[in-house]
Amino acid sequence: MTHTTIAPAATAPEELVRVDAANIVLEENIRDHPEDALVEDWFVDSVRQHGVLQAVLGYRNDLGQVVVRDGQLRVLAARLVGCTVPVLIGERPLDVVHRVTEQYVTNERRTGLTDHQKVAAFRQLELGGLSVTAIAKQTSTSKEQVKASLTVAKSVDASTALAGGQISFDTALVLAEFDGDDAAIAELSQIAEGDFHDLEYAAEQIRQERVNEAKRIEVVADFQAAGVRVATDEDSYESVHRLTNAEPTDTMRPQLDADEHKTCPGHAVTVVVYHGDDVRVSPVCCTPEAHRPRWASFGSTPAQAGPMTDEQKAERKTRRIQAVIAPLTLWMVLIDMSGRFSERMLPDVVTKLWDLREVGR
């Protein structure tokens, strides 16, 4: 390695020289313990790979030594890797006031790249032919961060919002995941204006809905291939367990047998999927008028003929307890899953409570 020898002669201002980092004297600085800032390996690795790219500012003392006023972290990193440092030699400071003022301004007023600028830079490097690994190495950035940045860069909605300063990088990354899904982007963009936890919850809900829908389509296709009709929201149907073939005057009104009902022209099934693998198939009838309702009005049971037995009383008590405990347990689980209650949870709560509407009847 070639080192530049600094002669102890007077030097004109604004002279650019390259000096061995080991020969540089660091001036007293308001940033005490600068070595603590070198704990992050990325800074030292960057200097090891690229060298010191930006000149530090300094002057010569009475002994002719180069004293650095601004750029001590770059000098310390250069010492660790054993390289030279470009130094812009200027006039010696007049007094302590000038030194402290200059050091404060140069340290306090520096502004790093914005998230959008980093994202745009990584995208330019990718378009220039660099792989994720190469970009990470050249910029001393983790591959995970590079991948995330490129994901945001390729989403028009996410990158535009990030450039406008409307959202954080984490929020932009969430939006980028749903790029191309206008409905999801619209919903998430509105939520992004509030709490990030609500955004995470909404995004996870959409992810789960996608998984559920994919599984539902798969199950529906299997039923249709087997010649079984799958009822949709456009059909008028009733659950088999709400129907009976008993006469209106019959006291015993058993529900339709699901297997026997398969011969009914209105036989069909509904398919609902929870959590991706919890598939619930329910037999329904699309011609409920061909049968009779089990009860005079849905939601109520026939009046008890005569006094209830102890067994019936115990069963009724159990149903009533379940009717109270089940919804409360569900509510507590939903709150515990998120760590806090959110308006976003209300649809889930209402849906689950509706699924439990038969409990206690």
Side-chain angles (χ1 to χ4, degrees), residues 132-358:
V132 170
T133 300
I135 295 174
K137 183 177 181 180
Q138 291 293 328
T139 61
S140 299
T141 307
S142 69
K143 289 193 291 186
E144 290 72 19
Q145 184 62 35
V146 173
K147 289 180 181 178
S149 297
L150 292 177
T151 298
V152 172
K154 296 172 184 177
S155 169
V156 175
D157 292 310
S159 58
T160 300
L162 184 63
Q166 305 167 18
I167 58 176
S168 66
F169 178 81
D170 290 338
T171 298
L173 187 58
V174 172
L175 294 182
E177 178 184 347
F178 300 94
D179 191 49
D181 187 337
D182 294 339
I185 290 293
E187 178 183 358
L188 294 174
S189 295
Q190 183 176 7
I191 298 173
E193 299 175 0
D195 195 316
F196 183 71
H197 293 290
D198 287 344
L199 179 68
E200 288 181 311
Y201 182 84
E204 182 57 32
Q205 191 176 48
I206 295 175
R207 295 186 193 104
Q208 190 61 62
E209 288 172 354
R210 286 181 169 183
V211 173
N212 292 346
E213 180 60 15
K215 183 63 176 180
R216 192 193 71 82
I217 291 175
E218 176 186 337
V219 174
V220 167
D222 291 340
F223 274 110
Q224 291 176 336
V228 179
R229 177 180 178 180
V230 179
T232 67
D233 292 338
E234 297 179 358
D235 294 316
S236 176
Y237 60 85
E238 187 56 78
S239 175
V240 167
H241 87 276
R242 290 177 175 269
L243 299 173
T244 183
N245 284 329
E247 295 296 330
T249 57
D250 290 345
T251 301
M252 301 299 294
R253 308 183 66 76
Q255 70 179 46
L256 294 178
D257 183 274
D259 290 331
E260 294 179 359
H261 185 261
K262 292 179 180 179
T263 60
C264 175
H267 176 70
V269 296
T270 58
V271 178
V272 180
V273 180
Y274 296 101
H275 309 299
D277 55 2
D278 182 6
V279 181
R280 303 183 187 183
V281 179
S282 302
V284 298
C285 184
C286 294
T287 56
E289 64 278 2
H291 309 281
R292 299 184 183 89
R294 291 183 66 192
W295 304 290
S297 61
F298 294 141
S300 62
T301 57
Q304 170 73 25
M308 298 180 68
T309 65
D310 291 340
E311 182 178 355
Q312 289 174 324
K313 291 179 180 179
E315 182 180 359
R316 182 182 64 179
K317 181 178 180 180
T318 299
R319 288 200 305 267
R320 289 178 175 176
I321 292 175
Q322 290 175 337
V324 174
I325 293 179
L328 289 178
T329 301
L330 170 65
W331 191 287
M332 293 172 65
V333 169
L334 287 173
I335 293 177
D336 182 63
M337 286 173 59
S338 68
R340 55 192 293 276
F341 182 74
S342 166
E343 291 182 0
R344 288 286 309 172
M345 299 178 193
L346 285 177
D348 279 349
V349 173
V350 172
T351 299
K352 295 298 184 182
L353 292 180
W354 180 252
D355 288 341
L356 293 170
R357 65 191 182 280
E358 294 299 324

